[in-house]
Amino acid sequence: MYPDDFTTDFNIDITNYNLWPVYSDPHSHDYYELYFLFHGSTNYTIENNVYQVSEGDIVWIPPNVPHFTRPHNTERHKRMLIYIRSSIIEEYLQKKSGFDNFISTTQVFRPSEKEKRYFRNLSNILLEEFYSEQSYSQQMCREILINILFLVQRMYEKTLSQKPNTNSSMPDPSIDLKLLLSFIQIHFRDDISLDSLSKQVNLNPAYISSLFKKYFGFTFKKYLIDLRLKAAMEMLRTTKKSIETIAFDCGFNSSNHFCKTFKSNVGMPPKMYRNIGNK
């Protein structure tokens, strides 16, 4: 759950999954997000660009940028999200000078071991104060958070000084995946299969399968079904259309197939889901 209604200048959410990881749905929000992965690995999709994020990596996301994560195995997965209002950013900018800043664009940082230690130490202090009821805890949290932003700014400046390898002729698989995701987002309601998709985007079916397995840990078919189910769940919550109409509108070839797939994945029939959502 993302705290769209939090009223303070910042909020922190730390989650530790010891069993099968929980996926986040595609979403955006009107505040900044700083993501730190303590343990595990995940695929982070940001505006249809997919990044492989590993233990110790940091992700910075400005407001209103669509994103979601897909942990792809059952390893321990612990991550921290810091939600930051613009008031904190303005305070940070007032305390820095003379440098370009990272705040306006999405960033994925892969810190050095030393930088990871610094970030973990600052994060642990921040968390201790955040959950403390001592006097001045909020004020201390603000200062620690601004110091964290300075540390991330340092990482950003280091990436600017590192010139990319322009001599590489290797293809970038994320470009192909971006093409696939864009096409599927538009056509997921249509009757598309792996073969028809491969012809539309001019990519080999086996290669498409390998991309989904690598970046998401599951098949193209599952990705397509997930999109259809999410659209159906939204329609069940927000419209009075019949279940049969919703099934066909979302790409299912029959209402029976839709109901069986819905119950298998959501844990209840569509009608029950609608009734619960309308209470």
Side-chain angles (χ1 to χ4, degrees):
M1 183 64 66
Y2 295 88
D4 292 322
D5 58 348
F6 72 95
T7 56
T8 55
D9 289 335
F10 65 94
N11 204 350
I12 302 174
D13 177 34
I14 185 162
T15 308
N16 189 2
Y17 303 122
N18 288 314
L19 299 175
W20 188 258
V22 176
Y23 300 146
S24 68
D25 292 327
H27 64 281
S28 62
H29 33 64
D30 62 358
Y31 44 83
Y32 297 86
E33 180 178 308
L34 184 61
Y35 173 105
F36 180 68
L37 189 58
F38 282 98
H39 299 288
S41 61
T42 191
N43 291 313
Y44 212 125
T45 301
I46 308 172
E47 292 188 305
N48 286 337
N49 293 307
V50 181
Y51 304 89
Q52 291 185 317
V53 177
S54 302
E55 182 174 318
D57 288 350
I58 298 167
V59 182
W60 174 263
I61 301 178
N64 304 313
V65 174
H67 57 281
F68 64 93
T69 57
R70 285 291 184 272
H72 47 77
N73 50 47
T74 57
E75 65 184 335
R76 182 185 178 196
H77 185 84
K78 180 181 179 181
R79 59 97 174 107
M80 177 178 68
L81 294 173
I82 306 178
Y83 309 112
I84 307 171
R85 295 289 190 194
S86 58
S87 53
I88 296 284
I89 299 301
E90 291 167 2
E91 186 174 339
Y92 154 73
L93 291 173
Q94 289 174 0
K95 294 186 177 184
K96 65 180 289 298
S97 61
F99 298 103
D100 292 332
N101 62 75
F102 64 91
I103 61 170
S104 59
T105 57
T106 297
Q107 307 288 339
V108 179
F109 299 102
R110 310 197 187 282
S112 66
E113 290 303 316
K114 183 178 181 180
E115 290 167 337
K116 288 179 186 178
R117 288 197 301 272
Y118 281 177
F119 195 94
R120 284 177 184 272
N121 289 339
L122 286 171
S123 298
N124 287 334
I125 297 170
L126 177 64
L127 288 168
E128 185 176 346
E129 286 297 329
F130 183 76
Y131 293 108
S132 169
E133 296 182 355
Q134 299 183 63
S135 57
Y136 307 113
S137 286
Q138 283 295 308
Q139 292 89 332
M140 291 184 67
C141 282
R142 290 178 72 95
E143 293 300 319
I144 298 165
L145 181 52
I146 288 174
N147 278 304
I148 287 175
L149 292 176
F150 277 121
L151 177 58
V152 178
Q153 172 76 31
R154 181 191 291 172
M155 297 177 196
Y156 171 73
E157 290 167 8
K158 187 174 72 173
T159 62
L160 291 181
S161 66
Q162 296 172 342
K163 295 182 179 180
N165 181 7
T166 57
N167 296 323
S168 175
S169 59
M170 294 294 290
D172 183 357
S174 66
I175 295 175
D176 291 337
L177 188 62
K178 183 176 181 179
L179 171 64
L180 287 167
L181 296 183
S182 297
F183 183 89
I184 296 168
Q185 287 281 350
I186 296 170
H187 297 283
F188 72 89
R189 294 177 174 86
D190 300 338
D191 183 17
I192 56 175
S193 64
L194 183 59
D195 287 337
S196 64
L197 174 63
S198 70
K199 292 174 183 177
Q200 290 287 343
V201 297
N202 197 29
L203 294 172
N204 183 279
Y207 176 62
I208 293 174
S209 295
S210 70
L211 286 178
F212 276 91
K213 196 66 176 176
K214 176 181 178 181
Y215 286 99
F216 296 110
F218 48 74
T219 63
F220 151 73
K221 184 177 180 180
K222 175 169 171 49
Y223 184 86
L224 179 63
I225 289 173
D226 284 351
L227 279 180
R228 289 172 172 172
L229 287 174
K230 286 170 186 172
M233 291 165 74
E234 177 68 18
M235 293 179 72
L236 287 166
R237 289 194 302 265
T238 59
T239 76
K240 295 183 179 180
K241 289 184 177 183
S242 69
I243 288 175
E244 184 177 15
T245 299
I246 291 174
F248 286 105
D249 284 352
C250 294
F252 293 92
N253 55 19
S254 74
S255 58
N256 286 337
H257 178 223
F258 167 61
C259 290
K260 288 176 64 176
T261 304
F262 193 97
K263 184 176 180 180
S264 174
N265 286 269
V266 182
M268 66 184 75
K271 185 176 180 180
M272 181 182 294
Y273 179 86
R274 167 174 271 172
N275 291 338
I276 292 174
N278 290 333
K279 286 183 179 180

